[in-house]
Structure formats: structure tokens, C-alpha cells
Amino acid sequence: MDQPKIERLLRLMKMLTTNTTYTVDDLAERLSMSRRTIYRYIDTFREAGFVIKKSGDHIRLDKESPHFKDISQLVHFTEEEAVILKRAIESIDDTNLLKQNLKRKLYSVYDNKILADTIVRGNNSATVHTLIEAIEEQQQVKLCAYRSAHGSVARDRLVEPFAFTTNYIQIWCYDTEDNTCKLFKLSRIGAVEKLESNWQHRKQHNQGFIDIFRMNGKQRFPIHLKLGMMAHNLLIEEYPLAEKDLSQSEDGRWELNTDVANYAGVARFVVGLMDDIEIVDSPELEEYIATYVAKYWPEIKVSPTP
């Protein structure tokens, strides 16, 4: 089968497995294909063992299809993972046909979010999969036996999940008890129960600010750092989203100008590389680091930047 045809099949498959249903005319228009081609590709899916489900003029691949779960386990790229992937592709020489083929496949088959309706591997896979379905279907869920870091008792939370953070570590939810948006750690969720009730507070769904060091908060604090080559390299390796806030100075060092949600994340990074990082015009960060070091390493003396 030629590559363009494979790409068209994958694009059609993606549309037929979303929670939005389409008519054949809708599919033909969105994919720039003829109705005849759409029907032919749907027959291809049926012959391959997929279950085709129709409701009036609308058509989709049934989630009970034996192959549907295989599709749902494709890797979902978060923003940070997408940055790494894009960087890897761009590093390939422009004359290499592989580079263009990779870019064309990614951006013709998938939209800017790259993949949807997916599941991650590991202990949290069932939790993630249920939450993804709840987000797509805009349904409320019960986070069963959630173990809060601020409480000694695990208890259920009725929430409206609406967005994951990097690597599915946490999820943004509207907490119907506190009437506010919060981050919940997936590792602290006992189980997820999808409810029949739909979202009631969609307009209040708001992702808080998450900085490049993966810390979150309601405020933003500007920081300015000068980094040597080692600090620069470690920064973009550990925190790829930092790359957009970096610029090279005339003295050959790198400058990081960005906002942070709090000083905890950046402080941990700076403390590990004090010999290769200079704090510039950020007295609050200097004070935070001095207090942090005095608490955990009292034998180390930290002097303010002159």
C-alpha cells in the first residue's frame, strides 16, 4: 500500500475514533476525499476486523471493536514530549528525505495536539484512560480515595477533569466542593469512577500557570539567570520548555529570562549548579536560595550577588 493512502486511512481512522460523530459527507469534506473513497476505506476497516457502527447518517468505529484498544494505546505526546520530538526531527539534515517524510506524517495524520484518546503505560494507565474519556465526553468523575498531601485521610472528590500536565503526572480539575480549579496527582488517586453527569462549570475551567520547572501557582515571578555551557545543556535536557526563554549573550554565556510560579523549582536547579549560574536582578530568588541552603546545608555560606 502506498504511503499517501496509508496517511489518508490513518486520518480517517482518527476521525472515526473520536467522540464526535460524522456523516460520510462530513468526512469527505474534511478529508478532501470523494464519498466513494470514504466508503471504500470504511470497507477496508470492516474487512480488517473493525466493527462499524452507524446511527442514522453518522458513522464511527465501535469502541467495542477488537482493535480499538490497540489504537487507544498509541503514545500521546504532551507539550514537552512534542518539543523534544520536534527538536530531534529538526536536527536531521535538510537534505535527508527521512526528515521531510517524518514531518509530513506527523502533521498530516495528526493535528497540533498530535494524538488523542490514548493511554500511557504503567501503574496509572487505567486512571489515565478513564480520565481521557471523561475529558472527551465532558463528564464529571469521582476521584476515589484521593490522598491529599495536606490531609491525613483519603477521601473521594467530585471533579470535572479537563487537562493533563506534562507526562501525565497531574491533572487539572474543577473541584465542585471548593468551586475552584486544582491540580490532582495521579499517583494519589485510588481509582476513577466516571459519572453520568456532564460538566456543569465549563466556563470556570482554567489551567493555572505552570512554569518551565513544572511548578504551578496563581502568581508569576520574573527571574533572570546567566548560565555557563554546562548549566545551559543540563537545563534544556531536564526542562526542554526552557529553550524558548534562552538567548546567548555577547560573553558566550546563556541568559534565561522567564517567569516562575514559585521559587522552589528554579532554586533546586540553581543550587546544584551554583558554580555555573549567576542570578541577575532577582533579589527575591537570592533570598529564597540563601534560606533554602541555610536550612539544609548550614555549613555552606551563600553571599548575595554584588
Side-chain angles (χ1 to χ4, degrees):
M1 185 182 294
D2 60 280
Q3 182 171 301
K5 184 175 181 180
I6 294 175
E7 291 178 1
R8 290 194 296 271
L9 278 166
L10 288 173
R11 291 171 62 197
L12 176 59
M13 181 182 289
K14 180 176 180 291
M15 293 188 70
L16 290 175
T17 54
T18 62
N19 285 296
T20 302
T21 56
Y22 300 96
T23 66
V24 172
D25 287 334
D26 291 334
L27 295 167
E29 180 180 354
R30 288 172 176 264
L31 299 174
S32 300
M33 299 180 189
S34 67
R35 287 170 52 88
R36 180 178 179 181
T37 299
I38 296 294
Y39 278 120
R40 188 169 69 248
Y41 285 177
I42 288 173
D43 286 339
T44 299
F45 292 144
R46 185 180 289 109
E47 291 169 3
F50 289 95
V51 177
I52 307 300
K53 193 172 184 179
K54 296 185 71 174
S55 177
D57 294 332
H58 294 79
I59 191 166
R60 61 178 292 109
L61 292 183
D62 192 342
K63 288 189 177 182
E64 298 304 315
S65 166
H67 300 306
F68 188 86
K69 289 184 179 179
D70 294 335
I71 298 172
S72 71
Q73 293 187 26
L74 291 170
V75 178
H76 171 83
F77 295 102
T78 61
E79 180 186 8
E80 186 166 347
E81 291 164 344
V83 169
I84 295 172
L85 182 60
K86 180 177 181 294
R87 185 189 303 157
I89 293 175
E90 292 298 342
S91 69
I92 301 173
D93 191 279
D94 286 335
T95 60
N96 192 324
L97 292 178
L98 176 63
K99 177 176 182 176
Q100 300 308 317
N101 287 340
L102 285 171
K103 291 176 69 174
R104 183 159 47 95
K105 284 182 180 180
L106 283 172
Y107 300 115
S108 66
V109 176
Y110 310 121
D111 57 19
N112 291 333
K113 295 297 183 181
I114 304 182
L115 285 173
D117 189 33
T118 58
I119 185 171
V120 294
R121 300 177 185 275
N123 296 332
N124 294 329
S125 60
T127 296
V128 171
H129 191 260
T130 303
L131 288 169
I132 287 173
E133 287 186 347
I135 292 172
E136 291 188 343
E137 296 168 14
Q138 299 185 9
Q139 290 180 298
Q140 294 182 336
V141 302
K142 182 193 295 184
L143 304 182
C144 302
Y146 184 76
R147 303 179 299 278
S148 172
H150 306 294
S152 57
V153 179
R155 63 186 182 89
D156 297 345
R157 304 291 186 89
L158 178 61
V159 302
E160 297 179 0
F162 58 89
F164 289 97
T165 62
T166 301
N167 296 330
Y168 300 97
I169 301 299
Q170 301 173 96
I171 185 166
W172 283 106
C173 298
Y174 182 86
D175 189 326
T176 61
E177 179 181 332
D178 295 341
N179 296 316
T180 186
C181 293
K182 295 180 179 178
L183 273 175
F184 292 89
K185 280 196 172 184
L186 271 66
S187 61
R188 294 177 182 166
I189 300 174
V192 179
E193 180 183 337
K194 196 164 59 171
L195 306 177
E196 295 296 327
S197 51
N198 295 326
W199 287 349
Q200 304 296 319
H201 309 276
R202 183 170 183 172
K203 290 184 178 180
Q204 283 72 50
H205 292 183
N206 178 38
Q207 295 183 44
F209 171 55
I210 300 179
D211 62 32
I212 60 174
F213 297 97
R214 306 181 190 123
M215 306 301 291
N216 73 90
K218 296 181 179 179
Q219 293 181 284
R220 293 172 180 253
F221 304 97
I223 63 165
H224 180 190
L225 305 178
K226 282 193 173 183
L227 301 88
M229 185 59 71
M230 181 174 67
H232 164 268
N233 291 343
L234 288 174
L235 178 67
I236 59 176
E237 287 173 7
E238 294 182 23
Y239 306 103
L241 295 181
E243 192 168 19
K244 65 181 185 302
D245 296 322
L246 283 167
S247 60
Q248 193 161 21
S249 57
E250 294 181 356
D251 61 5
R253 290 193 293 174
W254 293 83
E255 299 197 30
L256 175 68
N257 283 282
T258 191
D259 290 341
V260 294
N262 58 60
Y263 295 122
V266 62
R268 292 187 194 119
F269 180 77
V270 172
V271 167
L273 294 159
M274 283 197 209
D275 293 340
D276 205 37
I277 297 177
E278 176 188 348
I279 301 172
V280 182
D281 299 327
S282 303
E284 294 86 357
L285 175 58
E286 289 185 343
E287 183 179 349
Y288 182 95
I289 290 177
T291 303
Y292 180 85
V293 171
K295 180 178 180 180
Y296 295 103
W297 298 282
E299 68 279 7
I300 300 177
K301 302 301 180 183
V302 179
S303 301
T305 302

